[in-house]
Amino acid sequence: MHPSLKSELAAASGLNAYGAVNGERELREAAAGYFQRRGIAADPDQIVCGPGSKPLLFAVMLALGGDLVLPRPSWVSYAVQAEMGGVHPMFAATRPGEGGVPDPDELTAQVTQARKQGRDVRSVILTIPDNPTSTLARPETVECLCRAARDLDLTIISDEIYRDLVFDSDHDFPSPSRYAPERTVITTGLSKNLALGGWRIGVAWVPDPELRQRLLAVSSNIWTAPSGPIQRAAAYAFREPAEIIEHVTASRRLHQAVVTAMADRLTEAGIPTPAPKAAFYLYPDFEPVRPALQAKTSADLTRLLIEQHGVAVVPGSAFGDQPQDLKVRIATSLLYGQDDTQREMALISPEPTRLPWIAAALDRTAQVLASLAADS
């Protein structure tokens, strides 16, 4: 954690009174400025804050009601949250190399068919950039999806929590707010770009006033108000002073170096892997080495890699892929170090993949992959 964030949090430790359900004005103004610097016409009154982007997403689903469409694959909690709220999720395939955004044609076909069957489909979730694939959809694809969403009268929920971890800082970021701002909700937080997962703070841009009021009604009965001290420190982070920008830049450089190195090792072993464009995930397909695996499902493959080889992965079936597809998600952020000292060294190193603990982890993975490929 950056020292300035610790100082801000300590200075705000006495804020223990109940606050506004949508968040304190200071944080909402800072979050609006954050969105404005990214080309989004956000106003503080359009911002809703919550104890993490995850509960905000759940609250948005509850406020919208109806069924929703998810990309396949997609982050594990979307479908679970939908089902918890009595919503029936549908999956629509993504285009190759464009994870997180359903194929617009597939979206249209699925929603049209579902409505013929009497289902009340009201929304679609995007993850830009994507978890689990770390890929980034093309602007043309997002624009086409926004046209489809307008034709189908769908609300677009855009989870952009990995936005600041896109490796190419000059990339034309394809937020749906550019093409359909009137029907877009954006959620984000500080758990990825600043590794503040334990703070549990998130913000949502909700331009539709009616939806915003429904969201606040839901939120007031779930979390009452976000933590006061965390809000004060988060406002500092969202204002993006120079030291925070430098910290995020260093994080992005570290993620890119390690995840790219791991992707290279997977490719060299003959295991197809979408090229990562952001964040710290990989989503390889082990189908080419299936004969050597004694694994019929991604859950079998996960157990094999963890129990026999010590490689921690999550099965593709958890992300909505078919169980028989031998896909898993790898999180390379687990390789940065065993303690704060190692992780800090990884953050500031110009060549993090040459640090002994990271190099050893990459070499170990390469050995496991090579042995699997050799037996296939």
Side-chain angles (χ1 to χ4, degrees), residues 290-348:
R290 179 187 288 270
L293 296 178
Q294 298 180 345
K296 295 181 179 180
T297 68
S298 59
D300 295 337
L301 175 58
T302 297
R303 284 190 292 271
L304 171 70
L305 291 173
I306 293 175
E307 295 174 4
Q308 295 190 22
H309 300 286
V311 178
V313 297
V314 180
S317 56
F319 301 94
D321 269 327
Q322 297 301 321
Q324 65 270 21
D325 293 339
L326 294 185
K327 297 178 180 180
V328 298
R329 192 197 69 177
I330 299 172
T332 57
S333 56
L334 300 175
L335 309 183
Y336 298 161
Q338 297 297 316
D339 53 39
D340 289 344
T341 299
Q342 286 190 343
R343 286 187 286 270
E344 181 63 25
M345 290 180 65
L347 184 67
I348 64 176

Side-chain angles (χ1 to χ4, degrees), residues 56-74:
L56 274 172
L57 283 161
F58 183 46
V60 169
M61 291 183 199
L62 293 176
L64 282 168
D67 293 346
L68 80 164
V69 183
L70 305 177
R72 173 173 279 142
S74 58

Side-chain angles (χ1 to χ4, degrees), residues 82-164:
E83 291 168 352
M84 287 172 59
V87 172
H88 301 292
M90 304 162 47
F91 286 93
T94 59
R95 294 175 175 176
E98 297 188 75
V101 176
D103 183 306
D105 295 333
E106 172 107 354
L107 173 71
T108 299
Q110 291 230 26
V111 172
T112 300
Q113 181 62 28
R115 285 176 174 169
K116 287 180 179 178
Q117 297 171 350
R119 296 181 65 174
D120 182 17
V121 187
R122 300 186 190 178
S123 58
V124 57
I125 293 184
L126 317 184
T127 316
I128 310 176
D130 182 41
N131 172 8
T133 67
S134 284
T135 58
L136 186 62
R138 295 179 304 135
E140 298 86 344
T141 299
V142 177
E143 183 178 13
C144 187
L145 180 136
C146 288
R147 286 198 299 268
R150 187 175 287 116
D151 292 341
L152 296 164
D153 193 22
L154 297 175
T155 296
I156 302 167
I157 306 169
S158 187
D159 182 351
E160 299 182 8
I161 198 165
Y162 297 96
R163 174 170 186 159
D164 294 342

Side-chain angles (χ1 to χ4, degrees), residues 2-6 8 26 30-31 33-34 37-38 164 190 193-194 232-250:
H2 194 279
S4 64
L5 294 173
K6 294 182 180 179
E8 291 292 324
E26 180 182 10
Y34 170 92
R37 288 188 292 276
R38 287 152 180 80
D164 294 342
L190 302 175
N193 62 348
L194 288 169
R232 177 69 61 82
Y236 175 83
F238 275 113
R239 285 195 291 271
E240 298 182 294
E243 63 269 22
I244 294 299
I245 292 176
E246 292 171 2
H247 188 83
V248 173
T249 300

Side-chain angles (χ1 to χ4, degrees), residues 205-219:
W205 175 62
V206 190
D208 182 335
E210 292 185 7
L211 175 58
R212 193 165 62 249
Q213 287 305 310
R214 295 199 300 274
L215 175 58
L216 291 175
V218 171
S219 303

